[in-house]
Amino acid sequence: MVFKRLLGAFGVGGPSVETVLHESHGRPGGHLPGEVTIQGGDHDVHVQQVVLSLVTNVEFEHGDHEGAAGVEFYRGAIAGGFHLGAGQYHSIPFQMPLPWELPLTEVYGQHLHGMAMGVRTELEIAGARDAGDLDPVSIGPLPSQQRVLDAFGALGFQFKSADVEQGHIAGVHQELPFYQEIEFYAPPQYGGQINEVELTFVASPHELAVVLEADRRGTIFAEGDDVFGRFHVSHDEALHMAWEQELENWLRAVAGHLHGGHGGFAPVHHDVHHGVHHDVHHGSHGHGGPGWGGVAAGAAAGFVAGAVVNELLDDDDDDDGDGDDGGDALAEAMAEAQQQAIQDAYQQAAYEQAYEDAYEDAYEEAVEAFEDED
């Protein structure tokens, strides 16, 4: 961003501030490097402190009222107690720590519809505070979170949207006063039983909580309801778990319960604790199925098709007609977009190897980090 003169609290002739992020992409638990440069105004001032904060949009409910607002959820001083002469420049390099529970704003390089996050710079002079504009940042998933998202894509989930909601999840330790929900359309084979599935990550340095919520359809005998599942695993275990099977079992349990619980599936409400799962699936050795490249291709296709659905739904909102073929057109467009995305991804011969290499590198780095911490 360019220099922004802070007029609100300091008046005409006050200092200007410019914040430059050397890297605008980060991950939960990482850092954002950058530099703040302050230019003195028409007169000398004493800067008491320079503060950086993280801001995101949070949805809330208060009684019968619902809304959304920008919420500051992290702030930290990077400098303070220095003299700034008229017209003088003062630069402050920084490494801004990112909370582990940070909501994700992009997956597979694509922005998650509904998410927004930024860094704000605030100066305090003579007891008065003034803040500059927001500098947008993108937050991608940890390797452990990416593994879960890969499984969602491989099973045929279609991305719908994402948001951040005020509150705490029962049974999960949270440091932040909100949590993110990434919403998916259920795989086609469960379309008659489950409307949507919401995925929430709550990460810490040593653990990843994966919370699932299924919007289960009602029947002529019972109303629809929400069904939850919860997993608590280390980041290393999350990389090794057969998430495709875990999610499939959970979906079958949800759908089976809808029809009276027949089928002998595992309980819907459950926890997976440390050390329970060790059945790792590395690539496509001897099973004829897609390797990591294929999984990523299918998952990315799900996000692409989900984006197309969002656009179609937005267009449909503007249609006042009473035609009955809108659902068929939407379904056809979804299937066509998904198939085209999958074909395009699979045609890139180098994609699978590149993804495998990237995944293995991320895994090795994660293991080394965990070993160092121990």
Side-chain angles (χ1 to χ4, degrees):
M1 62 175 288
V2 297
F3 278 97
K4 174 180 174 59
R5 187 167 295 278
L6 305 178
L7 301 175
F10 307 143
V12 178
S16 303
V17 64
E18 179 189 36
T19 301
V20 176
L21 297 175
H22 298 326
E23 178 56 65
S24 61
H25 297 268
R27 284 181 174 178
H31 291 80
L32 278 181
E35 186 174 39
V36 173
T37 301
I38 306 169
Q39 180 183 9
D42 296 342
H43 52 275
D44 296 357
V45 296
H46 180 76
V47 179
Q48 292 173 293
Q49 64 176 350
V50 180
V51 175
L52 294 180
S53 62
L54 283 170
V55 180
T56 193
N57 202 46
V58 177
E59 297 185 2
F60 62 87
E61 295 183 13
H62 184 70
D64 296 330
H65 302 285
E66 296 182 358
V71 173
E72 178 186 283
F73 61 94
Y74 167 85
R75 62 186 287 117
I78 60 171
F82 62 90
H83 178 81
L84 182 67
Q88 179 184 358
Y89 288 87
H90 185 85
S91 295
I92 309 164
F94 64 82
Q95 289 276 343
M96 185 180 191
L98 298 175
W100 280 90
E101 296 177 21
L102 205 61
L104 308 181
T105 66
E106 68 173 32
V107 176
Y108 303 111
Q110 297 196 30
H111 177 73
L112 293 183
H113 177 72
M115 291 303 303
M117 190 176 303
V119 175
R120 177 172 287 155
T121 308
E122 178 183 282
L123 268 64
E124 181 177 351
I125 298 175
R129 297 177 179 177
D130 207 343
D133 295 330
L134 281 177
D135 292 285
V137 295
S138 297
I139 304 300
L142 294 164
S144 54
Q145 296 169 329
Q146 184 68 65
R147 175 68 188 95
V148 179
L149 292 167
D150 288 346
F152 264 75
L155 291 176
F157 284 90
Q158 302 292 326
F159 172 71
K160 178 185 176 184
S161 64
D163 61 19
V164 176
E165 298 191 7
Q166 184 183 47
H168 290 79
I169 301 172
V172 178
H173 176 74
Q174 288 177 237
E175 297 291 339
L176 297 180
F178 54 71
Y179 56 91
Q180 181 182 34
E181 289 186 336
I182 305 175
E183 301 177 8
F184 295 86
Y185 296 107
Q189 62 269 35
Y190 297 100
Q193 301 146 328
I194 303 172
N195 292 318
E196 300 169 4
V197 173
E198 297 174 349
L199 167 66
T200 294
F201 293 120
V202 182
S204 70
H206 303 288
E207 183 182 72
L208 178 67
V210 179
V211 182
L212 307 173
E213 178 181 351
D215 177 16
R216 189 165 51 186
R217 290 189 176 185
T219 68
I220 59 174
F221 303 106
E223 295 183 355
D225 59 358
D226 295 330
V227 184
F228 297 84
R230 192 172 65 223
F231 301 82
H232 290 270
V233 294
S234 70
H235 292 282
D236 183 58
E237 288 169 337
L239 290 171
H240 287 74
M241 279 181 64
W243 284 104
E244 291 81 3
Q245 188 62 53
E246 294 289 349
L247 294 173
E248 187 73 37
N249 289 343
W250 182 76
L251 287 169
R252 289 177 180 176
V254 173
H257 185 70
L258 179 67
H259 299 291
H262 301 296
F265 298 113
V268 175
H269 299 268
H270 60 283
D271 287 285
V272 177
H273 297 285
H274 299 284
V276 175
H277 295 273
H278 299 284
D279 47 342
V280 188
H281 293 279
H282 296 288
S284 55
H285 301 293
H287 297 286
W292 286 114
V295 170
F303 278 83
V304 171
V308 173
V309 171
N310 283 326
E311 294 180 5
L312 288 172
L313 290 177
D314 290 340
D315 293 340
D316 195 48
D317 290 341
D318 299 330
D319 185 4
D320 296 329
D322 297 325
D324 294 329
D325 56 353
D328 293 338
L330 177 60
E332 292 174 3
M334 287 173 58
E336 187 175 311
Q338 183 183 19
Q339 290 303 317
Q340 184 61 51
I342 292 174
Q343 290 174 12
D344 291 345
Y346 273 104
Q347 286 171 358
Q348 298 177 18
Y351 184 89
E352 180 167 351
Q353 187 59 48
Y355 186 85
E356 288 180 357
D357 293 342
Y359 183 87
E360 291 298 330
D361 290 342
Y363 169 71
E364 291 174 1
E365 292 175 2
V367 170
E368 291 176 359
F370 294 137
E371 290 176 347
D372 291 341
E373 290 173 358
D374 293 335

